[in-house]
Amino acid sequence: MMLFIMATVGHRGLWVRASSAASPDSIPEIISLAEEMDITDIYYQAVVGGYAYYRSELLPRSQYLTRLSGPDYDPLERLTAEAHARGIRVHAWVNSLLVWSGEEPPESTSHIFYRHPEWSVKDVLGRAMFGYSQKTWSFYGLDGLFVDPALPDMRAWLAGVCLEIAIRYPVDGIQLDFIRYPGTWWGLPEREESSMFSLPESEELRWMELVRYPTLPFSERYKVWHFWRLNAEREASVYEAVRAVSDTLRSHPATSCPRLSAAVWANPPAAGFRVAQSWWRWEGAVDYLAVMSYTQDTGTFSDYLDFALSVRPEAVFGIGFLWPNMEAEAREEEAAVLSRGGAGVSFFDYTRLVNEVDRDKLLGKKPAGEPRKSKESLGAIRGAFSDPPPRGLVGEGRGLLVAGEDEAFGDWLLRLSADRERDLKRLGLTREAFYENLRDDVAAFKALDMAIFPVGDVLLSPPGREISFAFLPFAGEDPEAVKKRAKDVKELPLDTIIYPKALDPLAKAVFSAKRGKREICLAPDGVYVFEVKREISAGKKVRRKDIPRELLPVYIGWTIKARLDRALR
């Protein structure tokens, strides 16, 4: 059988993590692999975890880098020189808003963690992420601790870091990574509406896509509409952070204005809803996007590819070797980019290409086999708008509609799909019918707002559960061993009152437990053994000033819930 080397697209990138170039001996190996793979662009991770892997006056030098290679070695300088000598472009890859993801707090006292704790993103309960332990953010499925792009000083700091690199090094580009919020319930504006999501049931709305919205109960669609309005501010903050970097690089006379790119989530619902990274609206802010279309499902990759090219034709596409034996899929994905006229691809990452990928198969020097195909069937979805808004509310709200507001909401929902026409067809809706239903929804939402907001100074107390409990911290011990030990706990020496809160596994367990029955709850930092002793009724009127600050979002959320339930009776 004759084998052919696959024709490659114009841009062929390679992401190289900071640690991969932390030793001078690693540079020739990186260059050798880049030449073998016909790499045109290297993205080197110059900023990670709030530390610099280059000479910086704004960031502390990576202690790992210093311990491994001494205080003078500069991996960005060395890699750029060696790559340029071979005609390979180098981009400084900057982890932008993710500033720490270690098990212990940063060592350097000049780290952003200590210098600007006020920049921390807050969750829907008002807690600063910088107060999370590693186990807590990991429990929530997050990447680490983030700073908030809503803050102008923080945006200026990020722009300054990128400018410092552009001035000091002849890099061909700057790439922003983690230029997003950490998740759905982080970074919402500090307003009453945000407290709608402070209760446990709101966690069911932590993800959203076009095909899901019409199947939700009307009351849940009301929450999604409010999230859209709140999320618009998160989207604007992320965009302003990108814009700050772009404007700074383009306006400074000391730079040659390297190209600015951003690594972005490929899945539109996840990018737009969960992390407020609406990159399809970043026109003029970046020169191009690197769409992290990491999947071994070639059908899903094709969806990501088609969507991205329809809105950002200059995009390059990330191929991530996150699964074993995916050389055949990677070849097909690169071929798909080429066949559709895409600008190029970028491989994630150098370490995996060295240790886990059969490069002979990837380059077509020997058979790679057949790529795996998707087994998922995208069938019809029944029940679209089967819970219509109350007609009385629709009538009340018609006169409250702001011109274009319902269309803007609909446009946003349509963006929560990689193939909107296909998904509307699955829902059994024409575009006209979709917008017609939304007009009724939004009219009713506006009428509900008149009945619910402003919340006012007197709030309704949420229900409570008084529990006796014992807490067994993990303290480095295997969680399963601690959980097993929890079954033998005899005494419950502590007492407290638990309220229904989002992002709180103990609250979720307590409100699901039966009174008088001992239960075990796995939490981020340990195991609770508890028993519900008393149930406390909701509905007591309490003045805002008399409510503990940490419980205020829950009181506001419960008051909104009670008014919503009453309005829909």
Side-chain angles (χ1 to χ4, degrees), residues 212-285:
R212 189 181 184 207
Y213 175 84
T215 66
L216 292 172
F218 170 73
S219 60
E220 296 299 285
R221 301 203 301 272
Y222 176 61
K223 295 176 185 176
V224 174
W225 181 68
H226 269 282
F227 183 84
W228 163 63
R229 301 203 302 183
L230 295 164
N231 193 52
E233 295 189 36
R234 295 201 309 164
E235 291 178 322
S237 295
V238 173
Y239 173 79
E240 287 301 322
V242 177
R243 187 88 245 180
V245 175
S246 176
D247 290 347
T248 299
L249 292 177
R250 291 171 179 173
S251 63
H252 199 282
T255 73
S256 57
C257 195
R259 300 190 78 199
L260 180 64
S261 63
V264 296
W265 283 17
N267 186 353
F273 188 87
R274 284 175 53 194
V275 299
Q277 192 183 60
S278 299
W279 46 265
W280 44 89
R281 299 172 61 188
W282 292 359
E283 192 68 38

Side-chain angles (χ1 to χ4, degrees), residues 134-147:
Q134 184 271 341
K135 289 185 175 65
T136 298
W137 58 256
S138 181
F139 185 87
Y140 294 147
L142 307 178
D143 296 287
L145 307 181
F146 282 67
V147 288

Side-chain angles (χ1 to χ4, degrees), residues 103-275:
E103 290 189 14
E104 300 296 332
E107 294 180 25
S108 173
T109 56
S110 62
H111 193 281
I112 203 75
F113 180 87
Y114 302 109
R115 293 183 63 189
H116 289 288
E118 74 279 10
W119 289 358
S120 173
V121 167
K122 294 180 181 179
D123 64 28
V124 73
L125 297 174
R127 302 175 302 178
M129 285 193 82
F130 281 15
Y132 288 5
S133 68
Q134 184 271 341
K135 289 185 175 65
T136 298
W137 58 256
S138 181
F139 185 87
Y140 294 147
L142 307 178
D143 296 287
L145 307 181
F146 282 67
V147 288
D148 195 339
L151 304 171
D153 287 349
M154 183 268 124
R155 298 196 297 262
W157 168 80
L158 175 61
V161 169
C162 294
L163 179 63
E164 179 182 58
I165 295 172
I167 289 175
R168 294 188 172 192
Y169 298 87
V171 292
D172 302 281
I174 302 286
Q175 182 168 96
L176 304 177
D177 194 8
F178 291 99
I179 187 72
R180 58 174 176 81
Y181 278 95
T184 313
W185 307 132
W186 286 265
L188 292 178
E190 294 184 17
R191 293 209 299 276
E192 288 181 342
E193 297 96 314
S194 296
S195 295
M196 296 176 74
F197 307 103
S198 66
L199 304 179
E201 58 262 32
S202 295
E203 292 188 36
E204 295 299 317
L205 294 178
R206 66 187 180 278
W207 65 275
M208 187 57 52
E209 55 188 11
L210 171 60
V211 294
R212 189 181 184 207
Y213 175 84
T215 66
L216 292 172
F218 170 73
S219 60
E220 296 299 285
R221 301 203 301 272
Y222 176 61
K223 295 176 185 176
V224 174
W225 181 68
H226 269 282
F227 183 84
W228 163 63
R229 301 203 302 183
L230 295 164
N231 193 52
E233 295 189 36
R234 295 201 309 164
E235 291 178 322
S237 295
V238 173
Y239 173 79
E240 287 301 322
V242 177
R243 187 88 245 180
V245 175
S246 176
D247 290 347
T248 299
L249 292 177
R250 291 171 179 173
S251 63
H252 199 282
T255 73
S256 57
C257 195
R259 300 190 78 199
L260 180 64
S261 63
V264 296
W265 283 17
N267 186 353
F273 188 87
R274 284 175 53 194
V275 299

Side-chain angles (χ1 to χ4, degrees), residues 32 40 66 112 187 204 234 248 256 285 288 304 335 375 417 450 517 520-521 524 530:
S32 176
T40 62
T66 298
I112 203 75
E204 295 299 317
R234 295 201 309 164
T248 299
S256 57
Y288 66 96
Y304 294 159
K375 296 180 180 179
S417 168
M450 296 295 290
K517 183 180 178 182
I520 292 176
C521 171
F530 71 89

